[in-house]
Amino acid sequence: MVDDNEAMLARAAAVLKRGCLVVGAVKDGPTALEAAQSLQPDVIVLDISMPGMSGLDVALSLRKAASTAAVVFLTVHDEEEFVEAARAAGGLGYVVKPRIAADLMVAVREAVAGRPFVSPTR
C-alpha cells in the first residue's frame, strides 16, 4: 500500500486485513518502487496525489520495470480524466476514498482476477 497519509494507510490496512495479507505500507513513490521490487506483491494499492512522485508515475514506472503486480488506485479524485489516466498507467482498480470500506476489497479481488473495477461516484 502506498499513501502519504498515515491515517489512510491504517484505514486501508484495516479494510484489507480481513481478506488479504498486507506485506507493506509506504508513504512515497520512490520507496514504493523499492518495496515492490523486494516484496513482489500481487496487488499494489496506490494513492494518486503524493508529493514528489505521483501514483500515476509510480504505476508507469512499475510497468516499465515489468512488475506483475496489479495496481488499484485509492484516491480522492472522482473525475473521469483521473480514471482514464489511471487506466492508461496500467491500473485495474479505481477506488475513491469515501468508498474505501465498501469498494477496496472488491477492487483488490477483481484486480487479482484480472478484471477492472471503478467505484461508483454518484
Side-chain angles (χ1 to χ4, degrees):
M1 297 183 314
V2 188
D3 199 303
D4 59 322
N5 181 313
E6 281 190 45
M8 188 54 64
L9 281 175
R11 190 164 177 215
V15 169
L16 293 175
K17 284 184 179 179
R18 292 183 240 150
C20 299
L21 174 62
V22 177
V23 297
V26 300
K27 295 183 192 178
D28 62 67
T31 306
L33 295 173
E34 292 172 13
Q37 184 177 3
S38 65
L39 297 172
Q40 298 291 305
D42 295 325
V43 178
I44 298 172
V45 176
L46 185 57
D47 187 18
I48 288 180
S49 296
M50 297 184 292
M53 184 178 202
S54 78
L56 296 170
D57 291 335
V58 171
L60 289 169
S61 293
L62 288 167
R63 295 298 158 243
K64 287 179 186 172
S67 171
T68 59
V71 172
V72 172
F73 286 99
L74 177 61
T75 182
V76 296
H77 302 288
D78 65 0
E79 300 88 0
E80 186 62 30
E81 59 265 20
F82 281 98
V83 175
E84 292 304 318
R87 284 184 182 134
L92 271 177
Y94 195 93
V95 176
V96 290
K97 288 181 178 180
R99 293 194 49 90
I100 188 172
D103 293 351
L104 185 57
M105 184 61 75
V106 174
V108 167
R109 285 186 184 132
E110 290 298 295
V112 167
R115 295 185 297 260
F117 176 88
V118 176
S119 284
T121 58
R122 309 276 182 289

